[in-house]
Each structure stands twice: as structure tokens, then as C-alpha cells.
């Protein structure tokens, strides 16, 4: 019988640590529900000791998720662990994830602790955690750059104290597949009680090898859990990408011979949701979920695929959620058709009121755009989410004037805590004028560090999706907005970023 490979998703924790990827509680809840639909085994929901906001997020996710284990991260100290356990109280199935650095560099320079002190702390904190919960994961941070003798000593001790999963992070993405696989194999062979724990891999992508390293950890090292994120989201170059790991293991079952719980047809919708929520655009040539992942441009390839699909395709696009018929709805489509399409896309609305308001927005969009694609619907739903989460600012209307040789002018109406206000300004272009019109009122002083426009479904008839990244007092946030008018999309994205800047969570980073 094939072994099972546990998929541990950390989009909401490690992925969220990426600068600008911070999410609101409602956004995290929506993604957690989608991950449950995808049948992820473990959802790492956050790091409760890092901020009150994160504590509330983990708690809310623990309240609603029933079919995946909800995991909560903690540094290896009693205060963090108690806080993480508290947030997990409502969970149907919960896991505490403790981490403590074990590399000489991290122990000396970051923790300023001796190896013996780290050993003791790892042991005592695991004991403390095990008294609160049965499912305990321990991660020696920067594990791959740690001295193997010392690591064996620490890991044997934490397994003795009741750790049930041992995760070996390549925190800085330094590993090479064969070396990482053998590193784990060696630990498992040398640690006498290694068979009492599930072994896990957690690879960062600094050298572009996170997926390859994770697979080597599984095949050579014998790991049976992979930690990954949707779209490979994560600090610096990101983490191991869930969609790539899953499709590698499924497509090459002949080689890996491992079973997965994942329901792959929800992969694309999940990828879109994460991208639209965080503003991290998926590159077109990204494996599995990129716009070109199943597109054949060359005549020879097209001809081959038409004659026999497997000449150039190793996976079926529809198996990961790409629909064969891309035009889905139009202005004559009714509420039931809209609801059904949402279901097919794996999007569930939380209430009738939410469905009604999304449908009203759909009708509004269909009046302006004759063909509504899946991408439009997903953007609309995520826009809906942004609007609901927006406590401070919301877009109402915009007018702008631009003419060759003249300086563009814009006038915008938006609400501040429900009260309508109006701002006007000129600018270098219509977008610049519109955002300056917002600033003329808000005066946030935020610096814009990124502005990007993307056509949601490819053509000029498409909706424009705009991402704006703002930086203020050391915080970086992304805002996303979609509209057939890219100036309006830009204003929506800017207001969404300002809303995120408002939630001033002082967070402690998990690695740092
Ligand atoms: O990369 C890392 O070391 C981590 C740990 C907190 C598990 O994310
Ligand atoms: Zn990490």
C-alpha cells in the first residue's frame, strides 16, 4: 500500500510574512475555507504571539475549520506556547508548532544562547506544550545549517518529550536536493527514536530549488509531510509551492508512489484567491497555475495537441481547475447561474446577503462588459471581500479628464467611515491625478513602492486588476482593485491599501 504524504499549508503564516502580503482576518478566513475545500491536511493559520490580530485570526480559523488540522506557531517559550494553545481551543483538530534555532550562527548571533541552553529550552518547551496538546510539531530553525551531531541530540530529546512531527527547515534556501535528502536520511538513521515521529520538510526558495529539495527530502530522506504555500508565496524568494509539489506527486505517481488527500480541481481557484487577496501576481509561465501553463503557441505543438493531447501535455488543465469553456456568464445570466458558477469555482459565500451583494456587483459589471470570465468572477468576489473588510475607506465614484498636451485632472468621491468626502487634484497622468485626489483628503504620507496593472482575462475588453504597494512607518501593505476602467481600479487598489495600513498590527516576525 502507498504511504500518505501530508500536505501542510503555511500560506497564512509563512506566506503572509512576505512584505506586503499581510491579510485581514476576513481574507484569512476565506482562504482557510478554500484550503479546507482543497483538502489540505494541515493549515498553519498564524503566529498568535506575534500580535493580537494574529491571535484573533487563528482563533477564528480554529472555530470554522472542521476537516483540516489547524496549526498555530509558537517560539519555544511558555508564553508563546500558552497563547498559541489558547487560540487553538475551539479547533476540532489542533496542532502546536514550536520552533527554536539550532544552527551555530543563529544560536550565537540571534539567540545569544549556548548549545546546552538551546537543548534545555527545546526539551522543556516541548514538555510544556505536550501537557497542553497531543499533536506537537518541533522545528529546529535553520536546521539544515545546523551541526548534525547537535541536531540529533536535540531532536532525540524533543521526540522523547512527545513531539509527534519533526520538521527540518531549510530556513534560508541553502540546500541542494541530494544533500538535503541525505541530511534527513542521516538524521532519521542516527536518532534512535526517530520512528516515533512523522518527518517533515520545509524549504525556502532562495536558489529556486524549494520544490526539488522538498521532493528529495521525501524520496531520499523518507519525510512524509511537506510544508508549502499557494503560489510559493513567502519571505524573499518564497516557499515550496503547493501546486507544484501536489502535481509532481500526482503526475509521477509511478515514481513517488504516494497518496495525497488534495482535491486538485480546486488548485486554480485557490491560487487566484491568494493572488487577488495579496496582490502578488502569478507569473504567466508559472507551472500549473500560470496563464500560459497549458497554452501552446507554437504551430507544431498545437498540431500535436490537437492530434493527441499527451504529445505535449503531461497533465490535464481541467484536473487543476482550468475550465474548458472560458466564457461563462453575461448580462442575461440569472442569480442561479451565478451561484452555480461560484460553486463550480469552489467559492462559497458566507450568507445570502453576501451572495446578493456579489450578484448585484456582477450585474453592474455585466452591464459594462459583455463577456464575464471566471477570472472576472473571482476578482469580483475578492473585491467583495475587500469591500466588506474595509472599515475606513470605500470607493464611490470618480471622474477624470485627460487630453493630449494638458495636465490631467481627477475628482473622486469616497467614504471615510461611511461619510462621503470629495477630493480633486491634477497629476502627471489620470491615475496619478486620481490617487493624488485621494491623498488630498487622506494625507497618509505613505510611499508607493509598487504599482502594477494586469488585464484579468487578456484583452483590452478585460477588467484591469491593479496592485498598489504602500510603505509607511516600516509597514508594507498591498492593495488590489479590479474594474474595466483602470483608473477606477487604481483608486480602489489605493483605498484598499490605505485600509490595510489602518490595521496597525505590530508584529513579531517568525524568522528574525
Ligand atoms: O523557515 C523556517 O525556519 C520557518 C520556521 C518557523 C519553521 O518558517
Ligand atoms: Zn519558513
Amino acid at each position: 500500500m502507498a504511504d500518505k504524504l501530508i500536505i501542510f499549508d503555511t500560506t497564512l503564516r509563512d506566506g503572509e510574512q512576505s512584505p506586503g502580503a499581510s491579510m485581514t482576518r476576513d481574507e484569512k478566513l476565506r482562504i482557510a475555507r478554500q484550503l479546507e475545500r482543497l483538502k489540505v491536511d494541515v493549515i498553519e493559520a498564524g503566529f498568535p504571539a506575534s500580535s493580537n490580530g494574529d491571535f484573533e485570526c487563528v482563533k477564528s480559523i480554529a472555530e470554522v475549520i472542521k476537516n483540516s488540522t489547524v496549526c498555530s506557531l509558537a517560539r519555544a517559550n511558555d508564553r508563546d506556547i500558552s497563547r498559541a494553545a489558547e487560540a487553538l481551543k475551539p479547533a476540532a483538530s489542533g496542532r502546536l508548532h514550536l520552533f527554536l534555532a539550532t544552527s551555530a550562527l543563529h544560536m550565537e548571533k540571534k539567540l545569544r544562547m549556548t548549545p546546552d541552553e538551546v537543548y534545555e529550552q527545546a526539551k522543556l518547551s516541548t514538555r510544556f506544550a505536550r501537557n497542553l496538546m497531543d499533536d506537537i510539531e518541533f522545528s529546529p530553525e535553520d536546521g539544515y545549517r545546523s551541526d548534525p551531531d547537535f541536531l540529533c541530540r536535540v531532536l532525540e530529546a524533543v521526540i522523547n518529550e512527545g513531539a509527534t512531527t519533526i520538521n527540518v527547515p531549510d530556513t534560508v534556501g541553502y540546500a541542494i536536493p541530494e544533500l538535503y535528502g541525505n541530511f534527513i536520511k542521516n538524521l532519521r538513521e542516527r536518532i534512535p527514536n526517530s520512528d516515533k515521529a512523522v518527518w517533515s520538510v520545509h524549504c525556502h526558495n532562495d536558489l529556486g530549488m524549494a520544490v526539488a529539495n522538498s521532493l528529495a527530502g521525501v524520496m531520499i530522506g523518507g519525510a512524509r509531510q511537506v510544508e508549502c504555500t499557494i503560489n510559493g508565496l513567502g519571505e524573499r524568494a518564497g516557499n515550496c509551492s503547493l501546486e507544484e509539489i501536489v502535481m509532481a506527486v500526482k503526475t509521477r505517481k509511478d515514481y513517488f508512489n504516494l497518496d495525497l488527500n488534495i482535491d486538485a480541481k480546486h488548485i486554480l481557484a485557490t491560487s487566484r484567491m491568494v493572488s487577488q487577496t495579496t496582490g502578488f501576481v502569478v507569473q504567466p509561465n508559472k507551472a500549473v497555475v500560470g496563464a500560459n501553463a497549458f497554452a501552446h503557441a507554437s504551430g507544431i505543438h498545437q498540431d500535436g495537441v490537437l492530434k493527441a493531447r499527451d504529445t505535449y501535455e503531461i497533465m490535464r488543465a481541467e484536473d487543476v481547475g482550468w475550465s474548458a469553456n472560458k466564457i461563462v456568464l453575461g448580462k442575461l445570466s440569472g442569480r442561479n447561474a451565478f451561484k452555480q458558477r461560484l460553486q463550480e469555482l469552489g467559492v462559497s459565500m458566507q450568507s445570502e446577503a453576501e451572495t446578493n451583494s456579489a450578484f448585484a456587483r456582477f450585474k453592474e459589471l455585466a452591464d459594462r462588459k459583455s463577456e464575464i470570465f471566471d477570472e472576472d468572477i473571482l476578482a469580483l468576489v475578492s473585491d467583495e471581500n475587500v469591500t466588506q473588510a474595509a472599515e475606513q475607506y470605500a470607493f464611490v465614484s470618480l471622474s477624470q479628464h485627460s487630453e493630449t498636451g494638458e495636465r490631467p485632472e481627477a475628482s473622486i468621491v469616497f467614504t471615510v467611515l461611511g461619510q462621503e468626502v470629495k477630493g480633486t487634484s491634477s497629476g502627471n497622468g489620470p491615475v496619478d491625478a486620481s490617487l493624488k485626489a485621494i491623498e488630498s483628503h487622506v494625507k497618509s504620507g505613505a510611499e508607493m513602492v509598487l504599482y502594477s496593472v494586469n488585464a484579468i482575462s487578456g484583452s483590452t475588453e478585460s477588467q484591469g486588476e491593479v496592485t498598489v504597494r504602500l510603505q509607511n512607518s516600516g509597514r508594507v501593505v498591498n492593495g488590489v482593485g479590479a474594474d474595466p476602467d483602470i483608473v477606477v481600479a487604481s483608486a480602489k487598489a489605493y483605498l484598499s491599501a490605505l485600509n490595510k495600513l489602518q490595521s496597525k498590527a505590530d508584529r513579531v516576525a517568525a524568522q528574525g
Side-chain angles (χ1 to χ4, degrees), residues 139-292:
S139 288
E141 191 192 1
D142 205 18
Y144 179 65
R145 292 195 302 170
S146 303
D147 169 46
D149 293 344
F150 178 61
L151 206 50
C152 283
R153 211 177 131 218
V154 171
L155 297 182
E156 181 181 348
V158 298
I159 297 172
N160 263 338
E161 294 295 344
T164 42
T165 300
I166 296 294
N167 178 45
V168 184
D170 175 22
T171 304
V172 291
Y174 183 64
I176 305 289
E178 194 185 345
L179 302 183
Y180 182 68
N182 280 320
F183 188 80
I184 293 177
K185 179 169 184 265
N186 183 37
L187 292 175
R188 289 183 60 235
E189 282 169 0
R190 287 182 56 193
I191 296 175
N193 53 3
S194 65
D195 61 331
K196 304 272 181 309
V198 173
W199 286 72
S200 166
V201 289
H202 178 112
C203 297
H204 282 264
N205 201 33
D206 298 66
L207 294 174
M209 288 188 277
V211 172
N213 287 335
S214 304
L215 290 172
V218 170
M219 287 312 275
I220 304 174
R224 287 297 174 263
Q225 172 175 287
V226 174
E227 303 202 350
C228 45
T229 59
I230 301 294
N231 301 335
L233 189 70
E235 279 198 289
R236 308 182 307 276
N239 285 61
C240 169
S241 125
L242 180 145
E243 56 280 6
E244 292 177 21
I245 279 284
V246 164
M247 291 319 288
V249 171
K250 278 188 183 273
T251 307
R252 295 307 307 270
K253 173 99 198 238
D254 59 319
Y255 175 70
F256 291 108
N257 192 27
L258 290 165
D259 285 337
L260 294 167
N261 267 350
I262 299 291
D263 185 352
K265 65 177 185 303
H266 294 297
I267 282 181
L268 185 67
T270 316
S271 160
R272 289 275 163 78
M273 188 183 283
V274 169
S275 162
Q276 284 168 348
T277 305
T278 59
F280 279 66
V281 176
V282 173
Q283 77 200 52
N285 58 331
K286 167 86 172 64
V288 185
V289 293
N292 291 351

Side-chain angles (χ1 to χ4, degrees), residues 301 303-313:
H301 287 206
D303 182 53
V305 169
L306 288 176
K307 286 178 178 144
R309 189 216 296 252
D310 51 3
T311 49
Y312 288 101
E313 275 185 12

Side-chain angles (χ1 to χ4, degrees), residues 432-484:
D432 189 47
S434 305
L435 304 194
K436 284 193 168 124
I438 296 174
E439 270 301 315
S440 71
H441 196 92
V442 175
K443 298 188 174 44
S444 74
E447 181 194 353
M448 188 181 296
V449 288
L450 179 133
Y451 171 82
S452 86
V453 191
N454 182 35
I456 287 188
S457 47
S459 75
T460 50
E461 283 190 352
S462 147
Q463 288 198 86
E465 185 175 63
V466 173
T467 302
V468 163
R469 185 174 299 166
L470 298 182
Q471 185 170 348
N472 203 3
S473 317
R475 287 199 69 207
V476 182
V477 294
N478 279 348
V480 184
D483 197 274

Side-chain angles (χ1 to χ4, degrees), residues 395-410:
F395 176 84
V396 177
S397 65
L398 180 141
S399 80
Q400 52 87 11
H401 176 80
S402 62
E403 209 173 312
T404 312
E406 277 185 22
R407 194 166 163 79
E409 300 213 326

